[in-house]
Structures are given as structure tokens and as C-alpha cells.
Amino acid sequence: MNVGEEGIFHGADARMDELKSISNDALIDLTQRYGQSAFSFGAGHGAGSAGRYPGSVGADFLTSQTAKSTESGGEHTSDEDDDSFGPVDSKGGPAFGADKRTKKPKEQRSLRLNINARERRRMHDLNDALDGLRSVIPYAHSPSVRKLSKIATLLLAKNYILMQAQALEEMRRVVAYLNQGQTLTSPIPAALAPFGQAAVYPFTGTALATCAEKCTTYTGAPSSLFKHCSDKP
DNA sequence: TAGGCCATCTGGTCCT
DNA sequence: AGGACCAGATGGCCTA
């Protein structure tokens, strides 16, 4: 089957649409797709579309593979069938010209298999890292809820970080307010800023940033993050 | 059935 | 030279 460029561009467009919609209203969107408790801490994770990494793999699948790699599904690994060698190129022809394909030395072929295996491993590591990220960001971790997509994971993590920064800043303001009577001249005691404020907190005004400033800064953040904000820009 | 998401293969580029 | 990283292409699975 030759999907062709139209299919590819269509997929890319769809993803860009998702990106745009998420950047404008991420929480609402994600909440709808992944459960109403998207921002409640749940116990455990790995809802997972069990479809991926099914654990059933061709017995002869790249014996040089690591154990982790063998978790991957044995999907159309052209490593296994020598008749089809890789996808077509952007012009519709084979990625390897017909003559290259027939004359391909065995050595070159094994080199290719090694490269493929490395790339697979790399992608598995990347997915492991994403799983780790999913496990620490708050969304509905339950078997009945679909696992966050990669893009949703990244966007939700970003929003979560921004939200935490905001919460930290507000806490600092409260502490500063409570301490006003004792230390009028020092806005924030050093002990209350143990994480390197400049690095963590994105506002130049540090503890004095207004809700308006934050709402302006987080133009890509979902509006629901700032429901409390009565200080509209 | 179309669209979303994903794993995999592949060639190109950059870095060590 | 070899490995890491990246993006394009392809096809499978799942869901609305």
C-alpha cells in the first residue's frame, strides 16, 4: 500500500491542529480525552494501550537485540524479510535503488541491522523516559483511562511545571506577608528559596509578579490554569 | 471507515 | 569511523 504524501501531510496537519488546540486550551482538551480527574493525583499508572509492546515477537527477531528491545512488537520488521527492503523514498521509489538492492553486500546488510537495533533501543529509552514522566505528572492513572499520548505528556508536563512555579511563588508571597512584622526589609528569607529562584521561577519580578503578568506570560497555557485569577491583564 | 497514535526502518547530519 | 540524533516514510492497531 502506498499511502503517499497526502496521507503523511494529513497526519502532520492533524498533529499541528492538536498542538494548536492544546496550547490554547490544553487542560480542557486533555481532561476531556483522558478523564475528568486529569489534575488529581492518582495512585499508580500505566493505563496503557496494551497494544504496544505486547511481548509477542518473532522468535528469530534480531538475536543481537537486548532483552528490553525484544519487548517491542514484531511489527513489519523488514529486517526479517529480505524481499522488502525498507520504505520508499519521498519520490515514491525504493529507498535503495534496485541495483543497490540486489548488489548489497552481506556486510552492509548486517551493518544496517545493527543500526536499526541501536535506533530501536534509542526509541525504547525515549519511551521509557516518557513513561517516567507520565508517572509523575498528575492525570487520571487508571486502567479505564487511555495512556497519555507523547505530545500530551510533554504539554501536560510543561503546564504542570508552570503551575508548580506559580504555586511556589504564591507560597513565597504568603510567607513574606506573614513575616512582614519581623523582616520588613528582606522580601524573602534565603531559606525559603532553596531551589535557585532565578532558575526555577520564570518571572523577572520574582516574588512580586502579578497574576496579570503570569497570565500574559503563559499565553500558551490553558485558561483553566488561571481560573482563580482576578487580576486580568 | 477515517483519523489518531505508534513502532520501525531508513538515510542524512553532526559529534566524538 | 562509528555512534547519536533527527526527520521522513510506511503500515498496523485502535477508536469514534
Side-chain angles (χ1 to χ4, degrees):
Chain A
M1 168 184 176
N2 190 356
V3 171
E5 292 182 351
E6 185 183 348
I8 297 300
F9 289 144
H10 182 86
D13 285 346
R15 294 196 184 188
M16 286 312 294
D17 286 346
E18 184 187 14
L19 268 175
K20 287 172 190 169
S21 76
I22 283 177
S23 66
N24 286 334
D25 224 346
L27 273 189
I28 293 172
D29 187 37
L30 292 175
T31 299
Q32 286 170 346
R33 291 166 61 180
Y34 299 103
Q36 292 301 316
S37 55
F39 261 80
S40 65
F41 289 88
H45 67 287
S49 56
R52 314 320 290 189
Y53 300 93
S56 64
V57 76
D60 58 343
F61 179 66
L62 288 182
T63 53
S64 64
Q65 284 284 82
T66 61
K68 188 166 71 173
S69 295
T70 58
E71 291 174 356
S72 68
E75 296 180 13
H76 66 82
T77 56
S78 66
D79 290 355
E80 296 177 87
D81 66 283
D82 287 332
D83 290 340
S84 67
F85 195 79
V88 296
D89 65 11
S90 58
K91 290 169 186 154
F96 290 82
D99 48 348
K100 280 184 186 175
R101 184 169 153 176
T102 52
K103 290 177 186 172
K104 193 174 229 345
K106 214 168 187 175
E107 195 175 312
Q108 202 170 340
R109 172 72 176 163
S110 104
L111 179 64
R112 224 321 135 191
L113 294 186
N114 281 337
I115 293 172
N116 290 351
R118 265 204 314 275
E119 178 66 8
R120 256 194 317 270
R121 238 172 357 243
R122 197 180 69 83
M123 295 310 296
H124 289 170
D125 288 345
L126 184 61
N127 288 336
D128 286 347
L130 273 167
D131 282 341
L133 188 56
R134 282 188 193 99
S135 71
V136 298
I137 61 177
Y139 76 102
H141 302 281
S142 101
S144 59
V145 176
R146 199 167 24 134
K147 188 170 77 170
L148 280 177
S149 69
K150 293 179 177 181
I151 184 69
T153 300
L154 292 174
L155 290 169
L156 193 55
K158 174 197 148 193
N159 287 333
Y160 184 51
I161 290 169
L162 294 177
M163 200 174 65
Q164 296 290 9
Q166 184 191 13
L168 179 61
E169 185 264 337
E170 287 184 2
M171 196 169 293
R172 283 188 176 126
R173 287 170 62 183
V174 168
V175 171
Y177 175 78
L178 293 175
N179 286 342
Q180 252 181 352
Q182 298 172 339
T183 57
L184 283 172
T185 54
S186 58
I188 299 177
L192 294 176
F195 302 114
Q197 186 171 289
V200 172
Y201 190 67
F203 302 105
T204 53
T206 62
L208 298 179
T210 64
C211 277
E213 180 186 345
K214 284 176 290 186
C215 292
T216 304
T217 303
Y218 298 153
T219 50
S223 56
S224 56
L225 268 180
F226 302 106
K227 276 187 294 192
H228 70 285
C229 181
S230 57
D231 190 10
K232 301 292 182 192

